[in-house]
Amino acid sequence: MLISERMNGLNPYVPGEQPKDRPYIKLNANENPYPPSKKVIKAVNKFIKKNPEKLGLYPDPDSIELHEEIADMLNKTGGCLCRAKVSGKSIEPAAEDKIPFTVTKDMIYTGNGSDEVLSFVFYAFFSSNKKFVMPEHTYSFYPVYAGFYNIPMDRIPLKKDWTLDTESMLSHASENAGGIIFANPNAPTGLGLTRNQVREMLQKASKDEIFIVDEAYCDFGGESCIPLLAEFSNLVIVRTFSKSLCGAGMRLGFIVSNPELINTVTTVKNSVNHFPLDAVSQVAGKEACRDAAYYCDCAKKVAETRDDFYNFLVQKGFYAIPSQTNFIFAKKEGFAGEQIYRKIKEEGILIRHFKTPGIDDFVRITVGTPEQMAKLKEAINKL
């Protein structure tokens, strides 16, 4: 037998459609419509031109300088770029986002995109003999990792208003003793819990079980739970450069937690791949953090465009869920979700449709530039 038996249980993640037959406006993968900072491009070009030999050498396996820059960026912005106050070169977090302690480099772990980071987090903290709790509808890579590592899941339905059923999640977590994970704001709904709501969950949850909050979209309007790290030693926060830091193509994700849990994930990493981040990504990541003001501006523009498009959808009779992310989840009575997806695709625009029961009437629309969204409005008008 050439293939192992465990291969039979794998259900791979299906990413957003990648156009091949024609150029499309791509609003289906929650990518940022804006390019990286010019300073990032300049730093990468300079590194390659002046240090070509470093492309033939192994990079820093611990990404120490990058961790320092990430920590500094979080301290400056409070973990929500769209609300941070920028004045010239000065950045201050909004009052509600200010972190009551200093995030340090030993509280950061980086990996090859948040997907790899999540993989190591699953391996490090979830057990094959205990069910972990997750929302029924959330990031669809979670069940993929559960299958990959043979970890049993307990999927909790959302409430009728599409918010997380936190009481049910806590009740099941108490019975299972296997930990909790959810995206905040959640995907694909776009809704988020407040920091106080997460705090209340943590206060009721077992301190001996892991509590993972995936903040991939937090910079567009959510409330980061980083301040809660001062109160809860079982909290792990996952973040990414792919969304608000315009870096989906360079594959860079990270977690923020207490140093002990960071060391645990680092042990997993060093048992799989001692060099997960290449030298160029480390350069790009450092410079992106240094130019946080640029990304604050990008996040603000995305949030403004999102709110404008949400209002447009409501005016057109769509049921749209108010979003704290860079996408909107919506449906239209009289139209199947797949029908909307196909009609929009005919107009040269890709949006996302999930065939998952319970949400198959919806489409998920990534927020693009104002120009891209204007073309999408034209396509929707033709419906």
Side-chain angles (χ1 to χ4, degrees):
M1 184 174 181
L2 297 177
I3 300 174
S4 68
E5 291 183 4
R6 60 178 175 269
M7 280 293 296
N8 296 326
L10 294 184
N11 294 294
Y13 174 76
V14 179
E17 184 179 358
Q18 297 294 327
K20 296 181 178 67
D21 56 331
R22 58 180 280 194
Y24 287 92
I25 294 176
K26 206 165 172 295
L27 303 177
N28 67 332
N30 295 346
E31 296 147 317
N32 200 304
Y34 299 103
S37 157
K38 291 181 179 179
K39 293 181 180 179
V40 169
I41 304 303
K42 183 178 179 180
V44 169
N45 287 336
K46 180 180 178 181
F47 173 78
I48 295 174
K49 185 176 181 180
K50 292 194 172 183
N51 306 280
E53 74 284 353
K54 289 192 176 182
L55 295 181
L57 302 175
Y58 287 118
D60 175 10
D62 298 314
S63 307
I64 293 174
E65 292 181 359
L66 176 58
H67 293 183
E68 291 174 344
E69 296 295 345
I70 290 173
D72 186 56
M73 176 193 66
L74 293 174
N75 291 322
K76 287 179 179 177
T77 65
C80 184
L81 292 176
C82 78
R83 283 195 297 270
K85 301 172 184 177
V86 179
S87 178
K89 295 182 179 180
S90 174
I91 305 174
E92 288 186 10
E96 63 268 35
D97 296 321
K98 188 172 178 59
I99 300 171
F101 58 87
T102 299
V103 179
T104 54
K105 65 182 179 182
D106 59 349
M107 297 175 65
I108 307 294
Y109 166 83
T110 48
N112 192 247
S114 64
D115 289 334
E116 182 189 65
V117 169
L118 281 165
S119 174
F120 293 164
V121 164
F122 267 66
Y123 188 91
F125 301 118
F126 290 146
S127 173
S128 60
N129 60 4
K130 294 180 181 179
K131 290 183 179 180
F132 72 92
V133 166
M134 59 175 279
E136 179 182 12
H137 300 299
T138 188
Y139 185 30
S140 52
F141 222 137
Y142 300 160
V144 173
Y145 285 135
F148 187 81
Y149 292 120
N150 195 29
I151 305 169
M153 298 176 289
D154 194 351
R155 305 178 74 161
I156 309 302
L158 301 179
K159 293 182 178 179
K160 291 183 178 180
D161 63 358
W162 300 101
T163 59
L164 300 186
D165 188 343
T166 57
E167 290 301 320
S168 183
M169 290 174 68
L170 287 168
S171 175
H172 282 244
S174 177
E175 295 174 7
N176 300 336
I180 292 177
I181 186 171
F182 59 91
N184 193 48
N186 195 28
T189 63
L191 293 170
L193 299 175
T194 67
R195 187 179 304 117
N196 280 335
Q197 286 176 309
V198 177
R199 177 185 280 112
E200 290 172 2
M201 289 185 72
L202 279 158
Q203 288 171 339
K204 297 176 182 178
S206 169
K207 304 300 184 290
D208 296 325
E209 304 298 334
I210 202 69
F211 196 103
I212 302 165
V213 181
D214 185 347
E215 293 188 349
Y217 300 100
C218 191
D219 280 321
F220 299 106
E223 290 188 14
S224 177
C225 293
I226 293 174
L228 302 182
L229 291 171
E231 305 172 47
F232 304 98
S233 60
N234 60 330
L235 174 61
V236 174
I237 297 169
V238 181
R239 296 183 69 105
T240 181
F241 278 63
S242 295
K243 314 302 180 183
S244 57
L245 290 164
C246 312
M250 69 181 183
R251 312 310 304 131
L252 182 55
F254 62 99
I255 62 174
V256 193
S257 190
N258 68 71
E260 182 179 353
L261 298 186
I262 293 294
N263 289 336
T264 299
V265 178
T266 301
T267 297
V268 176
K269 180 265 289 187
N270 288 337
S271 302
V272 177
N273 179 5
H274 194 46
F275 300 97
L277 285 183
D278 66 80
V280 177
S281 289
Q282 292 192 40
V283 169
K286 287 185 289 186
E287 198 61 39
C289 292
R290 292 171 186 145
D291 198 14
Y294 170 82
Y295 295 98
C296 288
D297 181 60
C298 289
K300 285 180 172 67
K301 289 191 289 188
V302 168
E304 290 169 359
T305 305
R306 174 199 65 209
D307 293 344
D308 172 79
F309 186 68
Y310 169 83
N311 291 331
F312 167 81
L313 288 176
V314 172
Q315 290 169 5
K316 290 295 177 181
F318 278 74
Y319 172 79
I321 301 177
S323 174
Q324 296 175 314
T325 66
N326 68 334
F327 61 83
I328 293 177
F329 205 47
K331 64 179 180 177
K332 182 79 163 69
E333 187 174 351
F335 289 83
E338 186 169 4
Q339 182 184 13
I340 295 175
Y341 154 76
R342 294 193 180 281
K343 290 290 185 182
I344 298 299
K345 184 177 180 180
E346 290 174 5
E347 299 298 320
I349 303 171
L350 291 178
I351 59 177
R352 190 81 188 265
H353 173 252
F354 298 94
K355 295 183 179 180
T356 308
I359 59 172
D360 51 340
D361 284 340
F362 283 84
V363 289
R364 192 196 68 191
I365 303 167
T366 303
V367 177
T369 63
E371 294 76 19
Q372 290 173 328
M373 302 311 285
K375 292 180 179 179
L376 178 56
K377 289 178 182 178
E378 293 176 7
I380 288 174
N381 283 331
K382 292 183 180 181
L383 288 173

